[in-house]
Amino acid sequence: TSEAVKRLQALQRGPTPQLIRIGVRNKGCAGLSYHLEYVEKPEKFDELVEQDGVKVIIDSKALFSIIGSEMDWHEDALSSKFAFKNPNIKDACGCGESFTVS
């Protein structure tokens, strides 16, 4: 989304510009959870996605779990985070932190 692009642009303009790598981990009651980390470059089989001038790295092991997803940035008085709208989700836990894909 445009909000995610703005946030990623701000991160890349920082004093030590870094890329965000998106992956999934086995975690939570539904099975998978998103995992974001700062990296300097992609790993061997990672996918580099560029949109509106920002680059995001997708962990090769997560690619089929999150393909077609939309990344958004949410910020309020208590928290700020990237959020995902994933069309592949078959089931999710009640708190929304973990999911299962079809």
Side-chain angles (χ1 to χ4, degrees):
T1 65
S2 62
E3 292 301 313
V5 167
K6 288 177 196 172
R7 180 63 183 152
L8 291 167
Q9 287 171 334
L11 289 171
Q12 292 177 355
R13 281 192 308 263
T16 55
Q18 294 178 317
L19 297 168
I20 287 193
R21 184 172 187 254
I22 303 170
V24 294
R25 298 245 167 110
N26 291 331
K27 183 178 172 185
C29 35
L32 296 173
S33 179
Y34 295 104
H35 175 76
L36 280 71
E37 62 184 331
Y38 294 112
V39 297
E40 293 181 15
K41 62 181 180 173
E43 292 185 11
K44 187 174 182 179
F45 296 107
D46 287 348
E47 186 77 25
L48 183 63
V49 176
E50 186 171 354
Q51 179 179 325
D52 298 327
V54 296
K55 296 177 183 176
V56 174
I57 298 169
I58 310 296
D59 181 339
S60 63
K61 295 180 280 302
L63 193 56
F64 291 110
S65 300
I66 64 174
I67 195 163
S69 295
E70 178 182 73
M71 184 176 176
D72 198 4
W73 175 252
H74 294 274
E75 194 168 340
D76 60 34
L78 299 175
S79 67
S80 56
K81 66 179 183 175
F82 286 106
F84 297 87
K85 293 178 186 169
N86 187 337
N88 306 304
I89 291 179
K90 180 174 71 172
D91 191 22
C93 66
C95 66
E97 291 298 317
S98 63
F99 60 94
T100 304
V101 294
S102 53

